[in-house]
Amino acid sequence: MLRSPHRQPHHESHTHHLPHRPSRLAVGATLIAALAGAVLPAAGASAAPAHTPAGAPATARTAPAPTPAPTPAPDMAGVEAALNAAMANGAPGAMARFTGPDGVQSRTVGVMDRVAGTPMDVNARFRIGSVSKTFSSVVLLQLVQEKRLELDAPVNRYLPGLLPDDRITVRHLMTHRSGLADYTDAMFNQTVPGFEAVRNKVFTYQELVALSLAEPRTTEPGVSYKYSNTNFVVGGMLIEKLTGRPVADAYQRRIFKPLKLKGTSYVHPDTKIKGLHARGYLHPDEEGAPLVDSTEQTVSWAQSAGAVISTPADLNTFMSALMKGRLLSPAMLDAMRTVTPTDTTNTRFYGLGLRRYDLSCGTQVYGHTGTVQGFYTYAFSTKDGRRSLSALANTSNHGAANTALGGTLEAAFCGPKKPAAAATGKTASPSARSAESAPSASASVSPSAPSATDHAAERDLPEHH
């Protein structure tokens, strides 16, 4: 097993605000009503001032503010252990890059090219799959800021006759509550044959929507969360209709160029990843069958739902900039981070093209997961944008590898685990990671609290291995 830890010097990113940034938008009552029942981080309540006897010194009249718990240092040994676990579950290689107040740290294990034996490289480019949805969401929300799009307007107002139900709104698309079936379920019912059938095919957006509409709808609009790539295909259609330009142009002008994401691109329908890049390896459904090199493909089956290429550094920059408000107004960013549960664990949530995971230490991280043939990706940041992590394993259709890769989040954001058995004098497992270090003194969480990474990884595509 090849393993090459890296520690890089910290270089502060000087990203630029977008030109002609619109003024702040207020989140109206209609927005709040549409998201009734959303789960939001609890706000700390202010305690009433204690009674102070007459004549007491002025310094005794105000209680000192509680000291916030220190931000835990990332457990890079734990990050590497998670990467090795992804390899043990079928990934040829894996890598992670963490940025925080103390700089940049990265880890790589395994290989990015099985034939050449090239070690994984943290500077390599790769396909980020559904992390692309967050890029698409930023563009859509910028169009809302510009008053060219309304979140609660019917999609058919902008794309007349496209959908069979006028009740489906833009917000329903972005929160996966439209009820539009995910066409990839049938497309990749057999993983490798399905992939090979579309590897070099170029679809129109309309063709992909037609595949979805041929299937029964999954829910009434707005009723419940059901992940569907169709939603962000329609989102791409909205972007192109309202801007009059290809999605690639919107990404480049609104995100890639302002943030100087030089390793990030949208090259549909070209099949190659230019420059230094990791190769992707797809697991067939059949146990023991050889991996399929799936690096080169059009990704036309996904487009604005999953065809962006990037690097760990660029993903760190993007997620941090997003959380710091460099791409959206405060009102739009609040709307994006207004979330509803995606399952019954109460640790996973979805906003507008943005996932939120609640970790065992009380830290909430925002970002997205990504799956495209041959690549699993995690790209997440804290709400203040000061800490971010991106991680990759170069395989797919092997959920155990995806779940293992998710362990990088706990290690990076919660730090080394405090020995749970310290009170009894026992020694905790060296592989344990932090379940302490809550974000504030009033929000501490038990080390045994459930975490989003305690459960199987969420699927962005059907899996059968």
Side-chain angles (χ1 to χ4, degrees), residues 171-366:
R171 190 190 304 279
H172 291 150
L173 297 178
M174 297 179 70
T175 56
H176 292 292
R177 301 173 76 88
S178 69
L180 296 172
D182 192 341
Y183 59 86
T184 66
D185 290 345
M187 182 179 286
F188 302 125
N189 183 51
Q190 293 182 299
T191 301
V192 172
F195 167 65
E196 295 294 1
V198 301
R199 180 198 282 260
N200 295 304
K201 189 168 183 178
V202 177
F203 290 93
T204 65
Y205 282 126
Q206 185 68 59
E207 287 173 329
L208 296 176
V209 173
L211 291 175
S212 170
L213 297 181
E215 302 290 334
R217 300 234 295 271
T218 59
T219 183
E220 292 294 306
V223 171
S224 61
Y225 170 91
K226 181 65 175 177
Y227 192 91
S228 174
N229 286 284
T230 308
N231 292 315
F232 281 83
V233 166
V234 178
M237 296 179 76
L238 286 169
I239 290 170
E240 295 197 348
K241 177 66 179 290
L242 295 174
T243 65
R245 299 284 299 164
V247 163
D249 178 78
Y251 289 153
Q252 179 66 31
R253 185 168 59 86
R254 293 170 176 267
I255 305 175
F256 300 169
K257 186 176 180 180
L259 296 183
K260 298 181 180 180
L261 306 182
K262 298 186 182 300
T264 305
S265 60
Y266 179 85
V267 298
H268 171 265
D270 289 352
T271 61
K272 295 185 181 297
I273 304 176
K274 295 181 180 178
L276 180 72
H277 63 274
R279 302 198 69 82
Y281 299 95
L282 177 62
H283 272 84
D285 297 338
E286 300 77 22
E287 189 71 35
L291 298 179
V292 174
D293 188 325
S294 52
T295 310
E296 295 180 4
Q297 61 157 313
T298 63
V299 201
S300 191
W301 60 266
Q303 300 188 50
S304 50
V308 173
I309 295 166
S310 193
T311 67
D314 279 5
L315 290 179
N316 289 156
T317 298
F318 170 63
M319 288 301 176
S320 290
L322 176 59
M323 290 299 105
K324 289 178 179 179
R326 295 180 180 176
L327 293 169
L328 297 172
S329 70
M332 282 296 96
L333 184 55
D334 284 346
M336 192 180 200
R337 292 190 299 218
T338 301
V339 296
T340 53
T342 62
D343 56 23
T344 60
T345 68
N346 290 321
T347 59
R348 296 170 171 181
F349 305 88
Y350 206 90
L352 297 173
L354 194 70
R355 293 194 188 279
R356 190 187 91 195
Y357 283 171
D358 291 0
L359 304 180
S360 66
C361 57
T363 296
Q364 295 174 339
V365 292
Y366 295 82

Side-chain angles (χ1 to χ4, degrees), residues 63-148:
T67 303
T71 299
D75 175 14
M76 296 310 293
V79 168
E80 187 168 348
L83 300 179
N84 280 319
M87 280 188 61
N89 283 284
M95 62 178 167
R97 183 181 189 272
F98 176 84
T99 62
D102 294 328
V104 177
Q105 298 183 66
S106 63
R107 295 290 185 272
T108 65
V109 299
V111 298
M112 64 179 187
D113 186 325
R114 296 176 71 229
V115 174
T118 311
M120 184 62 75
D121 191 318
V122 77
N123 298 304
R125 305 176 77 217
F126 56 91
R127 301 191 186 278
I128 67 173
S130 288
V131 181
S132 306
K133 291 178 172 66
T134 306
F135 285 84
S136 295
S137 293
V138 167
V139 176
L140 289 167
L141 291 174
Q142 288 179 353
L143 292 171
V144 173
Q145 290 179 180
E146 296 162 13
K147 301 187 184 304
R148 300 162 75 179

